[in-house]
Amino acid sequence: MATTSSMFMYSLTIQPPTSVTQAILGQFAGTKEQQIVTASGSRLTIHRPDPSQGKISTIFSQDVFGIIRTLAAFRLAGSNKDYIIIGSDSGRITIIEYAPSQNRFNRLHLETFGKSGIRRVIPGQYLAVDPKGRACLIASAEKNKLVYVLNRNAQAELTISSPLEAHKPQTLVFALVGLDVGYENPVFAVLEVDYTECDQDPTGEAFQEVEKLLVYYELDLGLNHVVRKWSDSVDRSASMLLQVPGGQDGPSGVLVCGLDNITYRHSNQDAFRVAIPRRLGVTENPERKRCITAGVMHKMRGAFFFLLQSEDGDLFKVTIDMIEDDNGQPTGEVKKLKIKYFDTVPIASNLCILKSGFLFVASETGNHHFYQFEKLGDDDNEAEFDSGSFPADPSEPYTPVYFHPRASENVNLVESIDSMNPLLDCKVANLTDDDAPQIYSICGSGARSSFRMLRHGLEVNDIVDSELPSVPAAVWTTKITRNDEYDAYIVLSFDNGTLVLSIGETVEEVTDTGFLSSASTLAVQQLGEDALIQVHPRGIRHIRADRRVNEWPVPQHRSIVAATTNERQVAVALSSGEIVYFEMDSDGSLAEYDEKREMSGTVTCLSLGEVPEGRVRSQFLAVGCDDSTVRILSLDPESTLENKSVQALTSAPSALSIMAMPDSTSGGPTLYLHIGLYSGVYLRTVLDEVTGELSDTRTRFLGPKPAKLFKVSVKGEPAVLALSSRSWLGYSDPQTRNFMLTPLSYVPLEWGSNFSSEQCTEGMVGIQGQNLRIFSIEKLGSNLLQQSVALTYTPRKFVRHPEHPLFYTIESDNNTLSTTTKQQLLNSQPIVNGDGVQLPPEDFGYPRAQGHWASCIHVLDPISAKATLQQIDLSDNEAATTIAAVSFSSQGDETFLVVGTGKDIIVSPRSSSAGFIYIYRFLEDGKELEFIHKTKTEHPPSALLSFQGRLLAGIGNELRIYDLGLKQLLRKCQAQVVPNVITSLQTQGSRIIVSDIQESVVFVVYKYQENRLIPFVDDVVARWTTCTTMVDYETIAGGDKFGNLWLLRCPPKASEEADEDGSGAHLVHERQYLQGAPNRLALMCHFYPQDIPTSIQKTQLVAGGRDILVWTGLQGTLGVLVPFVSREDVDFFQTLEQHLRGEEAPLAGRDHLIYRSYYVPVKGMIDGDLCERYSLLGNDKKQMIAGELDRSVREIERKISDMRTRVAY
């Protein structure tokens, strides 16, 4: 990396990609339970399906810093654990296992076979495994195939052989699968085409006659080489193979799926073919042929079946009937192939059938679905078609077969897993007046698309919300004896008294508990084995099990202002600044320590930690005073109430809590002191268990109100509930063990406490105003909450109303019938036997039609109505392409909504019959749109922007300025500034940044006096721009369609010249450089995040945070780029990144530096995702890197966590 770069950014992922490209099923933990492993971009994730609750939870996720192209699970014979093989872009085959005890993936083998990167002739594209786990075949798209023999050595460890070659030059591979042959020599079936003759024949005849072959490759285990055993021609449209069970379970062989047909093939059997049933309906085209896009085979005892999915999402159940012998046993010879309609689910990239009776659908777009099988469709009245009705020869014609789609009967949706793929546009805005902004995005495709609002927070499950007689000040829960499983009382403190409620079947008031009800309460505690303590301003009340009450009165003219307790100790602070300390005697009574300790100021808060296991007391007492200090006092019998350490604070402490929490640095629990300040700041500092020293302080701003802290428990782990103007939860992340502080998506609370009863074993109780609330927190895994509003078609772009919290989306779908055409079809034909049934499009999709567009404009209210307020459908085969809110100075600065559309658009090669620009006026504060007029243009507008009180439009490769006329828009100025198509526009002052679809960005200046648009700077690299934003007046950040992010800067001299007053003649006549503009942009930063950026903007994500760049990726990624302020930080992170590249090498064997430099060498960027893997290293590696960096482990971890928490979540 060129360290001379003057600008450095830190790249972080906030939400990893959610699209699943591969999903495999197996017993990866070595137990009876099945897990699902998914690949999303460069992330490998293992999920645990819970059959009892019908839910899927993520166990572990890891970035492999390489593109995962294919995954396979295999198991050695006789073993009960599945291993994972990864085919990636590293030019290596990787075998990993999941280690449940450490909760991580361990790499077992890494074998290099070729160059890195995704290339035509380097294996990694296809991967197949012998069902008995003896060998695997990894192949490239062309020519090369390698077979690896898998075995185990004397120590029962997995071994892998040298590769055996099965290459065939000038051969393209379409699909590949391992054959089930029992324990005979492993065989792999491949669909391939030899293009030798096509390549040499210029007339194209050889291409028409070329055959697609199904080829069997056999691995001879005795001779240890691979032979081409059998081949036969199959249908030219064949694109997919599925393994048919063999040995004892079935006839072996493969299903070959092609366009409109499925064929059973095997080397020693006849071919059997069935057609894929087509949908029947008035709006369906009866001639349209389907192909199979996904499929899964499931074996049960003595039977098996296939579920195959067509491109409409319809599932078909395919079964194979075998000829039976005289005893009624199947002989292994196939009699016929049968197919019938099963159900309809979203179009999947992978289907997985679990043994527990569930179906996991990894959707291509939108949310992933988890279904439960109700029945297997054996006894329904769906028509079944068999191979007897169809010729086996692919060239012979046959009569197509049809079916009526219907609502699901066989599978039932139990869980929908949020996925934002594809994410097409995003805006960060604060519309709800929270202290942090929200993220608004459009994602999904077709009828399953949605508008989503993301906010930082944990999901809260509300259990009870009941009103109280007056406003309480505090609440506690307590058990009666130490061994009780559940809490017995809820104690509420009011200004003038205390109310005790008992917890049982119902919650009701009780009066005979021994608690003093006439005074307010400061603390409640279950003490010793079976006693209770109540601290009130006038004293301490000790309630014994037999209801005897001992009272410790406060000295005269004083009162208790703060108190803290644990099960053996009590400490109170008096209004005079004295601290009184009590400890429990062996007989269960409280003994006061002889001396009182006087503090320098008034005590505001106190905290005692829990008594550690096997000890009789907590070692330390933390005391917060109004002179903005926290002191740690010793409670050792030798040095009671002596000062151990002091921490100075920026404001007076309002709450303290000493508690042990799991910690990534030490690996075990560590004692922390949590501090809340009156200024709303929260601090967490490590308390040394021996010396009482405070170190490693981390701070976070919670809100403007004083912070209060409460110890709670979530998922069996200690956590801290921090309350300010919002409620926050501090907990250790289930995967990384790092400390997380996340707001709760809940009402702001004034006080909180743990709550445990039979109905809710692990909850919390809190006070909000006059209400008592009981709630629990179920999920700690995701800290981004999603709310969604359904959209009609695939959203393309959206824009926000300049003043009101409303959004306007444009949506369009190609090859889809528009609403008006659909209605005409329904009205024109008489409806016979159920053809006119309109099924919900979100489940069944829209009727398809070649060359048709369906498009609309939506008005959305995501805040109050959480719905669409108006839908405007476009007619005449028009599709909306771009949208903007533009204020026209000729209309008194009134803002209009401007929408660009295209008529009869053909996407590739790009063409259209016309383009239009529609103008709409906002009515009723933007809730309605009124059409004003439309203007015809030669091409569809591809970018619109408000510019100096007029409209700036990118139409084809021309940049135009329009003003608003009465009948149509008036063209004021135009210039051809880019070679191809303008994709986006940005502006500041008179400067316009124009992005081209293929040729990066051009800086253009508008000279008002001359009414001219003059390009003055362009780029040296042809970037296929997808999105841009201006970082400052001279710097632009953007992304391209190959998945790169970059920052470009205009040379200062060129920038100044362009802004000089005058006609701009000096710019026009300046000498062009290499057929371009006179000047070139300089590259500041470049990075490959491995997702196509669809939007990028400069904004803040947290209250009081710095400006950062937030970008979104097509596969659902949310990422940020954080600018570094000091050179010292850059050097630190660069060195750390360098060490981690060596010590924590990427799992799939890709070189990290080369991976991040896929197209252009990485420059001015530090990979935060790699730096964050530091906390997952073993202790010895951490210490070694810390030694090299000359820092402590804690210091490094603090710096890494600060980079994230200061700007994002």
Side-chain angles (χ1 to χ4, degrees), residues 1070-1144:
E1070 197 167 348
R1071 197 167 121 220
Q1072 287 192 343
Y1073 179 65
L1074 300 176
Q1075 281 86 45
N1079 299 290
R1080 292 289 179 266
L1081 293 163
L1083 178 68
M1084 302 304 295
C1085 299
H1086 201 285
F1087 190 68
Y1088 175 75
Q1090 217 257 291
D1091 198 354
I1092 300 169
T1094 51
S1095 80
I1096 185 166
Q1097 57 202 305
K1098 181 179 160 187
T1099 182
Q1100 296 169 353
L1101 279 185
V1102 295
R1106 298 216 305 271
D1107 271 353
I1108 52 174
L1109 291 174
V1110 176
W1111 68 275
T1112 57
L1114 186 73
Q1115 301 178 39
T1117 316
L1118 274 175
V1120 295
L1121 302 176
V1122 188
F1124 279 105
V1125 181
S1126 74
R1127 185 79 221 190
E1128 185 193 345
D1129 278 355
V1130 173
D1131 294 342
F1132 168 79
F1133 278 103
Q1134 263 187 329
T1135 322
L1136 176 64
E1137 192 182 30
Q1138 209 172 320
H1139 282 297
L1140 284 167
R1141 280 182 185 142
E1143 294 302 323
E1144 179 67 3

Side-chain angles (χ1 to χ4, degrees), residues 414 540 803 833 952 1051 1096:
V414 285
I540 300 173
E803 285 131 37
N833 56 27
L952 188 66
I1096 185 166

Side-chain angles (χ1 to χ4, degrees), residues 746-984:
Y746 203 49
V747 292
L749 300 171
E750 276 94 56
W751 200 275
S753 175
N754 240 357
F755 176 82
S756 175
S757 71
E758 274 184 65
Q759 290 78 19
C760 163
T761 50
E762 195 174 58
M764 296 173 208
V765 57
I767 293 168
Q768 176 238 340
Q770 204 171 326
N771 290 17
L772 182 73
R773 287 179 174 258
I774 298 175
F775 58 95
S776 68
I777 295 165
E778 303 293 333
K779 287 186 188 165
L780 290 179
S782 67
N783 60 359
L784 279 174
L785 285 171
Q786 297 186 11
Q787 285 177 322
S788 66
V789 177
L791 299 175
T792 309
Y793 305 115
T794 306
R796 304 292 170 176
K797 289 192 171 82
F798 74 125
V799 66
R800 188 194 153 189
H801 190 286
E803 285 131 37
H804 303 288
L806 298 168
F807 286 98
Y808 305 88
T809 63
I810 50 168
E811 298 153 40
S812 59
D813 268 325
N814 194 5
N815 296 340
T816 302
L817 282 183
S818 66
T819 323
T820 44
T821 320
K822 203 159 55 178
Q823 211 48 53
Q824 282 166 7
L825 282 171
L826 287 168
N827 298 342
S828 64
Q829 296 179 3
I831 289 168
V832 285
N833 56 27
D835 280 4
V837 177
Q838 288 296 295
L839 293 161
E842 54 272 16
D843 297 328
F844 294 88
Y846 291 109
R848 304 215 152 257
Q850 199 67 33
H852 285 257
W853 282 88
S855 184
C856 69
I857 304 165
H858 266 145
V859 183
L860 274 161
D861 178 358
I863 307 301
S864 44
K866 293 191 170 56
T868 52
L869 305 176
Q870 186 186 7
Q871 176 172 338
I872 300 169
D873 283 304
L874 299 180
S875 52
D876 285 345
N877 207 26
E878 280 182 47
T881 55
T882 180
I883 186 168
V886 180
S887 67
F888 288 98
S889 45
S890 58
Q891 302 291 320
D893 285 337
E894 186 186 344
T895 303
F896 293 85
L897 188 72
V898 184
V899 177
T901 69
K903 184 170 160 58
D904 305 327
I905 298 176
I906 296 168
V907 181
S908 176
R910 190 181 296 113
S911 72
S912 61
S913 57
F916 295 96
I917 301 177
Y918 286 73
I919 305 287
Y920 293 94
R921 179 178 261 124
F922 294 121
L923 301 179
E924 295 187 29
D925 292 342
K927 288 179 183 161
E928 268 186 40
L929 297 175
E930 177 193 28
F931 174 66
I932 307 286
H933 58 62
K934 69 176 182 179
T935 308
K936 192 171 179 180
T937 58
E938 308 87 81
H939 303 288
S942 49
L944 300 170
L945 187 68
S946 179
F947 177 70
Q948 298 185 352
R950 297 196 279 189
L951 169 68
L952 188 66
I955 294 166
N957 60 359
E958 288 186 347
L959 186 61
R960 294 185 186 168
I961 295 178
Y962 286 100
D963 208 342
L964 189 61
L966 287 173
K967 296 279 178 70
Q968 64 169 31
L969 290 169
L970 311 171
R971 194 187 310 183
K972 294 294 184 188
C973 173
Q974 78 172 40
Q976 198 171 322
V977 293
V978 298
N980 304 299
V981 176
I982 293 171
T983 55
S984 71

Side-chain angles (χ1 to χ4, degrees), residues 108-304:
L108 303 175
H109 285 288
L110 185 64
E111 297 294 322
T112 307
F113 51 69
K115 292 178 177 171
S116 63
I118 294 179
R119 303 162 193 257
R120 256 184 8 177
V121 293
I122 303 295
Q125 187 61 34
Y126 300 103
L127 180 62
V129 175
D130 170 57
K132 293 285 184 267
R134 295 169 299 172
C136 74
L137 172 64
I138 188 163
S140 57
E142 186 183 327
K143 185 183 171 190
N144 293 336
K145 299 180 195 69
L146 297 172
V147 176
Y148 285 92
V149 180
L150 304 163
N151 217 322
R152 54 159 79 87
N153 62 13
Q155 286 77 45
E157 291 165 345
L158 176 72
T159 60
I160 186 166
S161 71
S162 312
L164 305 169
E165 296 182 355
H167 302 340
K168 188 163 189 290
Q170 298 193 314
T171 303
L172 298 173
V173 174
F174 286 84
L176 154 66
V177 70
L179 233 60
D180 189 346
V181 289
Y183 282 105
E184 291 173 18
N185 280 338
V187 176
F188 296 95
V190 183
L191 270 184
E192 52 184 47
V193 168
D194 187 331
Y195 68 81
T196 316
E197 287 172 15
C198 306
D199 224 14
Q200 290 154 6
D201 174 25
T203 61
E205 278 177 36
F207 174 69
Q208 298 302 328
E209 291 164 10
V210 74
E211 285 190 329
K212 189 172 276 186
L213 299 175
L214 173 66
V215 185
Y216 279 10
Y217 287 92
E218 182 180 26
L219 164 66
D220 192 320
L221 289 169
L223 299 171
N224 204 23
H225 75 144
V226 183
V227 288
R228 191 178 164 107
K229 185 182 173 188
W230 173 80
S231 73
D232 198 0
S233 66
V234 292
D235 182 7
R236 262 189 78 164
S237 64
S239 60
M240 192 173 174
L241 294 175
L242 285 130
Q243 162 195 327
V244 176
Q248 302 297 311
D249 306 315
S252 188
V254 289
L255 285 189
V256 182
C257 305
L259 184 65
D260 206 37
N261 69 82
I262 299 161
T263 315
Y264 168 78
R265 297 302 304 262
H266 194 30
S267 55
N268 59 3
Q269 305 248 12
D270 295 336
F272 293 90
R273 189 162 78 128
V274 290
I276 299 172
R278 305 176 189 176
R279 282 189 182 183
L280 203 54
V282 177
T283 55
E284 292 289 344
N285 174 6
E287 297 304 309
R288 185 162 76 86
K289 297 178 177 181
R290 273 58 169 188
C291 62
I292 297 296
T293 56
V296 61
M297 182 268 295
H298 186 63
K299 274 198 277 200
M300 301 170 296
R301 281 213 180 97
F304 63 90

Side-chain angles (χ1 to χ4, degrees), residues 20 86 141 193 256 289 418 507 584 597 634 663 686 751 811 850 852 900 1057 1103 1144 1207:
V20 171
I86 304 175
V193 168
V256 182
K289 297 178 177 181
D418 280 336
V507 172
M584 197 175 79
R597 167 76 195 262
S634 165
D663 174 36
V686 175
W751 200 275
E811 298 153 40
Q850 199 67 33
H852 285 257
E1057 277 179 12
E1144 179 67 3
V1207 293

